[in-house]
């Protein structure tokens, strides 16, 4: 079946690409486009329009072909052919013009887009850069700062913004095809714009500009190389003529395409798409009105996330005062989001919020989330009271992070409508939601939870029940691993630096100071009280000395009043010395520290997988990336473990890997 059709309408050739679902520019489509435009050169129509059928204009190169050898023609060749035609070609864009799709549109003599279209270069999010003329053409249209932002960020911009920046010529409200044909005729009979490749090299914005951009891009990239390579190529595009610069661009693309970073980012790309599919399960019920029990950090955060997506929220607290405080938390979060441009109209969003002290107000709710203190008896009581007042169809959700949802639900008579949704703090920002069904949870309940998660713009990952679910169980292993290394005498500042160097925003000790050492301490104490044999940790000693983290003025580090900068602590040094930690650090390099901690995470992940708590290794990677700040460009601990291979993992661990880890990296 042919992927491209041509209609000649009143002398204008309308070339329609039709390669569902997203018109990805795979090999076959590129070949057909070459053939069609070559033929058109002879047919010599007045003008032509390049348009796509279905839900979107070309959404990019075909990512599935990225791991394979490159086969001509390149998107660059198609764009060059279009530019060389003796008649104007207008790109008529709807849906998305991303990556190679945008590069092709830039090869056209003009571009118009339907309102609502998104345009951008997501290449850096896949570990590559635009490699088919995207960079060299963009610099001939946009101001330098805009060109840098578009190419190095991967951000998708609206058609309106694209028109303001000069990336496209017009935004269309009516019939796109008609408008494109009119525009094409206008250009054929008026002044035809020069192809971008024939326009002169734009003026170099100068060394200060580049130095500033490099600092900003490097900071945002957090160790990822593609945005910096993109910046280098941009710089070349302002220094060299079109042809020379485009060769540099193409070579940089080819080099990056085979990098570990690109492999990792492709892995995450497909993992996210697989997870999104789970969200489209049948039987999901509509959720418009949500009740939340508890207006603390978690409850208010979840309320904010829901309100921002247009849902109606009733927030319950025990007293009028607490309800007022809960409302104030939501208001602060929504106002902050509005300041950052994430919310258009804060008061309209807040109009969806009601607060109450009476569970009877939950009567109309489609779903109620419990977000109270992590105490089994309190949570059980909440659900006992809820069952009496909510509609029989309402879904009941616990946001527990480490209690067993089966025990929380023990008082619930209809457990088919019960499940856990573990949001991460701050819930209005963090993308991860662990979706934790009970054995009795109905498929429709699960499907509704996935659909709701997706509607919130979050990544939902199904988790079985175990202590800490997927994420906190791995986090515990990571934290313990970091403490083990500290016990060997490696300075904590070095361990933190190693993990920052690896790509995390904060190291393990800095993170604990931020979130507080007391939560994990209380969990260990509870386990000890229940008879578990858990040796005393350094963290225990710090908490007993009143060092809970930033909130108490110090934890692993000291902090000056009103300053979050960690400073070395004499008190911590004394506690370490008292615990027998040697002062002489062994020569563990930062890369070895990171490898050891990641290997431990992967080993825990492999156990989680073997137990069936996670359905797929890539789900574990998504949990780490979206809930714990694991660098996306590293692909997640499971992907990274496979890349490292058994020998390197065992060297990092300093012992043989567990069977589960071996099975993960070398499946029988
Ligand atoms: N190459 C190959 N397949 C692609 C693709 C690409 N560039 N972009 C999307 N697809 C596939 C998806 O994997 C999915 O396949 P499946 O149905 O077999 O799982 C299908 O197209 C639909 O994608 P989906 O994301 O579910 O559709 P959507 O309508 O929600 O979103 C897009 C459409 C285009 C916005 C979104 O798919 C997207 O952002 N794609 C990435 C584009 C990109 O990064 N391009 C640059 C490549 S350099």
């Amino acid at each position: 079946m042919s992927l491209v059709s041509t209609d000649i309408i009143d002398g204008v050739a309308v070339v329609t690409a039709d390669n569902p679902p997203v018109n990805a520019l795979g090999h076959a489509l590129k070949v057909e486009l070459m053939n069609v435009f070559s033929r058109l050169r002879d047919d010599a129509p007045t003008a032509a329009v390049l348009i796509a059928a279905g839900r979107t204009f070309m959404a990019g190169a075909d990512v599935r072909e990225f791991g394979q050898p490159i086969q001509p023609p390149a998107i660059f060749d198609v764009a060059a052919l279009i530019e060389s035609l003796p008649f104007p070609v207008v790109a008529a864009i709807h849906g998305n013009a991303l990556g190679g799709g945008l590069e092709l549109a830039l090869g056209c003599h003009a571009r118009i887009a339907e309102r609502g279209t998104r345009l951008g270069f997501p290449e850096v999010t896949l570990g590559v850069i635009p490699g088919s003329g995207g960079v060299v053409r963009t610099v001939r249209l946009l101001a330098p700062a805009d060109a840098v932002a578009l190419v190095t960020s991967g951000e998708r911009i609206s058609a309106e913004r694209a028109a303001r920046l000069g990336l496209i010529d017009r935004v269309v409200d009516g019939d796109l095809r008609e408008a494109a044909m009119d525009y094409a005729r206008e250009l054929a009979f008026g002044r035809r714009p020069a192809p971008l490749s024939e326009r002169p090299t734009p003026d170099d914005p100068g060394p200060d500009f580049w130095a500033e951009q490099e600092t900003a891009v490097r900071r945002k990239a957090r160790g990822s190389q593609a945005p910096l390579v993109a910046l280098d190529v941009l710089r070349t595009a302002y220094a060299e003529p079109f042809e020379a610069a485009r060769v540099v661009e193409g070579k940089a693309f080819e080099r990056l395409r085979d990098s570990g970073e690109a492999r990792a980012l492709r892995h995450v790309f497909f993992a996210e798409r697989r997870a999104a599919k789970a969200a489209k399960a049948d039987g999901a019920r509509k959720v418009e009105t949500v009740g939340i029990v508890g207006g603390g950090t978690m409850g208010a955060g979840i309320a904010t996330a829901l309100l921002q997506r247009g849902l109606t929220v009733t927030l319950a607290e025990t007293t009028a005062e607490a309800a007022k405080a809960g409302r104030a938390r939501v208001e602060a979060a929504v106002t902050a989001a509005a300041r950052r441009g994430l919310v258009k109209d804060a008061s309209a969003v807040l109009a969806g919020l009601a607060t109450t002290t009476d569970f009877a107000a939950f009567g109309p709710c489609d779903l109620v989330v419990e977000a109270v203190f992590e105490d089994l008896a309190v949570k059980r009581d909440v659900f006992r009271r809820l069952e009496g007042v909510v509609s029989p169809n309402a879904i009941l959700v616990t946001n527990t992070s480490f209690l067993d949802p089966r025990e929380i639900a023990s008082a619930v008579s209809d457990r088919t409508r019960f499940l856990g949704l573990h949001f991460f703090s701050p819930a209005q920002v963090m993308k991860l939601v662990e979706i934790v069904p009970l054995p009795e949870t109905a498929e429709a309940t699960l499907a509704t939870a996935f659909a709701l998660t997706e509607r919130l713009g979050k990544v939902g990952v199904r988790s079985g029940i175990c202590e800490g679910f997927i994420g906190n169980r791995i986090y515990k292993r990571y934290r313990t691993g970091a403490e083990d290394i500290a016990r060997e005498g490696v300075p904590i500042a070095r361990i933190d630096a190693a993990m920052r160097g690896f790509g995390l925003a904060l190291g393990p000790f800095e993170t604990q100071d931020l979130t507080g050492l007391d939560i994990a301490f209380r969990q260990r104490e509870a386990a000890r009280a229940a008879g578990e044999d858990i040796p005393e940790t350094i963290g225990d000693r710090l908490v007993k000395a009143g060092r809970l983290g930033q909130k108490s003025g110090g934890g692993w580090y000291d902090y000056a009043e009103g300053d979050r900068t960690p400073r070395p602590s004499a008190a911590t040094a004394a506690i370490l010395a008292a615990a027998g930690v040697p002062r002489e650090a062994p020569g563990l390099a930062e890369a070895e520290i990171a490898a050891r901690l990641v290997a431990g995470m992967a080993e825990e992940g492999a156990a989680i997988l073997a137990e069936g708590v996670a359905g797929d290794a890539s789900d574990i990677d998504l949990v780490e990336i979206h809930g714990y700040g694991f660098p996306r460009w590293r692909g997640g601990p499971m992907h990274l473990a496979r890349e490292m291979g058994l020998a390197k993992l065992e060297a990092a661990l300093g012992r043989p890997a567990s069977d589960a880890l071996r099975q993960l990296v070398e499946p029988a």
Side-chain angles (χ1 to χ4, degrees), residues 21-22 24 55-56 59-64 66 96 98-100 122-123 125-126 128 156 269-270 273 277 280:
V22 297
R55 65 199 211 227
T56 179
D62 192 327
V63 178
R64 287 165 306 185
F66 271 20
N96 303 270
L98 302 172
E123 279 86 346
T125 66
L126 287 163
V128 292
R156 300 166 184 206
F269 175 89
F270 288 114
R273 287 205 146 51
K277 265 205 187 130
K280 300 206 168 65

